[in-house]
Amino acid sequence: MSWALLLEWVIKSAVIIMIILGGFAYLTLFERRVLARMQTRIGPNRAGPWGLLQPVADGIKLIFNEELIPEQADRVLFILAPVITVVPALIILAVIPLGPEVTLFGRRYVFGLASNINVGVLYILAVASIAVYGIVIAGWASGNKYALMGGVRSTAQMVSYELALALAFVGPIMLAGSMSVDAIIEGQTHLWYVILQPLGFLIFLIAAVAEINRAPFDMPEAEQELVAGYHAEYSGMKFALFFMAEYGKMIAVSFIAATMFLGGYLGPFLDRWPLLGPIYLFIKVVALLFFLVWLRATFPRFRYDQLMAFGWKILLPLGLLNVVITGVIIVLVGG
Amino acid sequence: MNLMGLLRGLWAAFLSMFEMLRGLWTTFRSMFETPVTYQYPEVKRPVRERFKGRHVLKRYDNGLERCIGCALCAAACPADAIFVEAAENTDEERYSPGERYARTYEINLMRCIFCGYCEDACPTEAIVLEHQYELSFTSRRDAIYTKELLIVPVPEGGKPTPQNVPVGMFNRAIPEMKDPA
């Protein structure tokens, strides 16, 4: 029994990590194709049919790139920083259920690793915060003042928007009356929280886009204006890890948004065919990823002072207001 | 606090939300437009009529070369890309209708800036910048185009050079230009 359980968990963990890794590879292609179409271009379509082998080609290229470590760099921290950045992106999906419980050969299986723990939402926030360390350490360890400034800038941005992100989570938590992700999904059986929490969803989306450093909040990279931020000195696979972290976080944030506000794996006919659950979740996640790419194709970048002012003076008060309104309505209606 | 100012701010925020949605709609709509990309190696965009690509050396209808080896092109070339070595024509071995012809004609396409001054300088309209633009080389040696590579094939009804012509048929140093415009 115990080794069977162990095997089950190992398989689940592998699947979750593969979702991020495989998703990362093909998200880059998806983004490039969608961006190209929005700019009335075609995008990469040469490597393999429809460019499907492009991520493989990119990966091979990055593996064979020279790995430079600057002389002034702190070698241990320099190597550690991309690892610290990428690991949270890989493990954050552990509390997201990918589908409903199924009974197979007399055993009950859950799609998901630990979706039933009672602090699931706290886990998401805690793990998401760790990525900030990777970025500030990367900037520091590079031994380059520009990388350090980039790291500080990114850190300030991520810390600011994390507050709004956490406040956006409070709405669903209050409505479900639990911090367990399973309970939050069960609470959306009849009505998705995006309808009950439109302001919360909006705050979550904006804060999440800023948290994962995506356009129009991609100050840390700002490829048209700066060389790069904290990863200016990184090359080869270490750079690829930062890249992977960014896209992995995109996927993770889409999973979280789909779960907290769009009903997760819920959808019609789920009782009859439980395997539809992962498909529904996949569709929602792809729609959200498309939305993230769409935002990048549309909006110009924020100025840095606007970014901080927006985060602290608008988003944070709005988040608090949303919590207060939600609380009052729950008390009045009776939850 | 000024209530009117607050309301005006809220109204501005609402309007800017609308503008953001309009921006999103614009990018979404352009997804369904035909891409402007040419799939280059398979589909080639035709160049303009006056496009200045690789040079060719022209011939007359009877197959004689237009180039008379005067090296005015080499003199006009600002990049010093052209080398011409002239030799005398004879009636037994005639290459061009003039007194001389280009025995060696080389253009270093790595030096060439495709300005077309050679074209302007040529008294017989022998050198013309045509529409070939796919010029890539794997060595410096390959970038030097010789006369054999530059000259156009013999036209229909013409004879290849050197031609054996009757004595006294060509007696001018520079052939007469039909349309000296």
Side-chain angles (χ1 to χ4, degrees):
Chain A
M1 180 60 200
S2 123
W3 67 263
L5 199 66
L6 197 68
L7 185 71
E8 184 191 328
W9 279 49
V10 166
I11 290 172
K12 282 179 183 172
S13 309
V15 166
I16 284 171
I17 288 174
M18 287 319 287
I19 287 174
I20 295 283
L21 291 181
F24 151 68
Y26 279 91
L27 180 57
T28 58
L29 180 68
F30 175 75
E31 170 167 50
R32 288 173 67 182
R33 289 303 292 259
V34 170
L35 266 184
R37 288 301 324 204
M38 286 185 170
Q39 294 159 356
T40 61
R41 295 184 289 114
I42 294 173
N45 63 348
R46 294 282 152 171
W50 306 292
L52 281 178
L53 295 179
Q54 186 69 37
V56 181
D58 289 341
I60 291 171
K61 179 250 175 194
L62 278 167
I63 287 169
F64 285 104
N65 262 12
E66 186 183 0
E67 297 245 9
L68 280 173
I69 299 184
E71 214 168 281
Q72 294 297 312
D74 185 325
R75 294 182 67 93
V76 177
L77 289 182
F78 191 78
I79 294 168
L80 196 62
V83 179
I84 294 177
T85 313
V86 84
V87 164
L90 292 179
I91 63 175
I92 203 164
L93 281 190
V95 292
I96 304 290
L98 306 178
E101 277 189 356
V102 286
T103 309
L104 212 63
F105 308 120
R107 274 199 62 188
R108 287 153 62 78
Y109 289 98
V110 189
F111 290 99
L113 205 54
S115 58
N116 52 354
I117 59 170
N118 57 1
V119 287
V121 180
L122 277 186
Y123 171 87
I124 290 172
L125 283 168
V127 169
S129 312
I130 295 174
V132 182
Y133 285 97
I135 284 170
V136 77
I137 287 173
W140 169 256
S142 295
N144 172 340
K145 58 190 167 191
Y146 300 112
L148 178 61
M149 273 148 68
V152 169
R153 197 177 54 224
S154 315
T155 311
Q157 174 181 334
M158 290 171 83
V159 169
S160 308
Y161 279 82
E162 218 155 72
L163 294 167
L165 195 70
L167 283 174
F169 278 149
V170 174
I173 292 170
M174 286 166 87
L175 287 171
S178 165
M179 277 202 174
S180 153
V181 181
D182 268 347
I184 289 175
I185 289 183
E186 272 167 36
Q188 299 179 76
T189 314
H190 303 295
L191 200 57
W192 292 356
Y193 284 165
V194 64
I195 298 162
L196 296 174
Q197 288 279 320
L199 187 60
F201 185 59
L202 195 68
I203 293 167
F204 176 84
L205 272 186
I206 296 171
V209 171
E211 176 75 14
I212 59 179
N213 298 334
R214 289 279 305 174
F217 300 99
D218 58 342
M219 296 303 302
E221 283 199 51
E223 64 256 22
Q224 292 90 351
E225 297 155 40
L226 315 167
V227 176
Y230 53 90
H231 54 54
E233 298 290 351
Y234 282 86
S235 56
M237 275 318 276
K238 288 203 278 295
F239 171 73
L241 283 182
F242 280 118
F243 205 63
M244 188 192 292
E246 185 188 328
Y247 283 80
K249 277 191 272 181
M250 265 175 86
I251 298 171
V253 154
S254 300
F255 267 101
I256 294 163
T259 305
M260 304 286 284
F261 291 98
L262 300 178
Y265 57 78
L266 295 178
F269 308 115
L270 201 62
D271 297 336
R272 213 175 312 161
W273 297 293
L275 282 175
L276 279 175
I279 297 171
Y280 287 138
L281 186 61
F282 178 76
I283 292 169
K284 288 168 189 172
V285 166
V286 168
L288 281 164
L289 288 173
F290 174 80
F291 183 72
L292 288 176
V293 176
W294 189 11
L295 283 183
R296 178 177 168 186
T298 307
F299 294 128
R301 188 171 299 119
F302 271 66
R303 213 171 57 212
Y304 189 62
D305 60 322
Q306 290 172 336
L307 178 94
M308 296 307 267
F310 183 70
W312 287 102
K313 292 181 186 167
I314 297 177
L315 220 50
L316 186 63
L318 267 183
L320 287 168
L321 186 72
N322 187 46
V323 171
V324 170
I325 292 172
T326 310
V328 168
I329 289 177
I330 286 176
V331 168
L332 288 182
V333 178
Chain B
M1 194 171 166
N2 185 349
L3 188 67
M4 275 311 286
L6 185 68
L7 283 177
R8 204 169 291 135
L10 282 176
W11 178 242
F14 176 76
L15 283 186
S16 63
M17 287 269 271
F18 180 71
E19 290 299 309
M20 285 201 281
L21 289 179
R22 227 159 57 100
L24 285 171
W25 169 242
T26 305
T27 42
F28 188 74
R29 203 183 40 195
S30 62
M31 271 188 87
F32 302 100
E33 286 173 23
T34 317
V36 294
T37 313
Y38 283 84
Q39 297 279 338
Y40 164 61
E42 292 90 34
V43 183
K44 284 172 186 161
R45 182 169 170 271
V47 296
R48 301 284 170 188
E49 191 49 45
R50 295 178 65 178
F51 181 84
K52 288 185 283 196
R54 200 204 75 198
H55 323 64
V56 296
L57 288 170
K58 295 283 189 185
R59 288 177 192 269
Y60 290 102
D61 290 342
N62 60 10
L64 283 177
E65 294 161 17
R66 279 177 176 263
C67 180
I68 53 169
C70 68
L72 279 175
C73 45
C77 182
D80 199 10
I82 304 179
F83 172 71
V84 184
E85 187 196 21
E88 296 278 335
N89 278 314
T90 59
D91 285 330
E92 290 77 44
E93 280 194 20
R94 181 161 285 282
Y95 290 86
S96 78
E99 191 178 313
R100 303 199 292 170
Y101 72 100
R103 183 160 66 192
T104 312
Y105 196 105
E106 287 177 354
I107 299 180
N108 186 342
L109 288 172
M110 273 187 169
R111 298 202 63 132
C112 179
I113 58 169
F114 299 93
C115 63
Y117 283 8
C118 45
E119 206 175 355
D120 293 347
C122 186
T124 58
E125 294 177 358
I127 186 166
V128 180
L129 275 74
E130 292 274 3
H131 297 165
Q132 167 68 296
Y133 55 85
E134 286 164 320
L135 301 164
S136 61
F137 320 105
T138 50
S139 76
R140 285 171 184 275
R141 189 65 238 175
D142 292 344
I144 299 171
Y145 267 53
T146 56
K147 188 180 168 188
E148 289 70 42
L149 294 167
L150 292 167
I151 197 150
V152 295
V154 178
E156 194 85 13
K159 281 187 288 182
T161 49
Q163 295 179 3
N164 193 346
V165 298
V167 178
M169 191 175 169
F170 298 99
N171 56 4
R172 290 177 61 98
I174 296 176
E176 215 166 347
M177 299 300 294
K178 281 179 197 121
D179 183 18

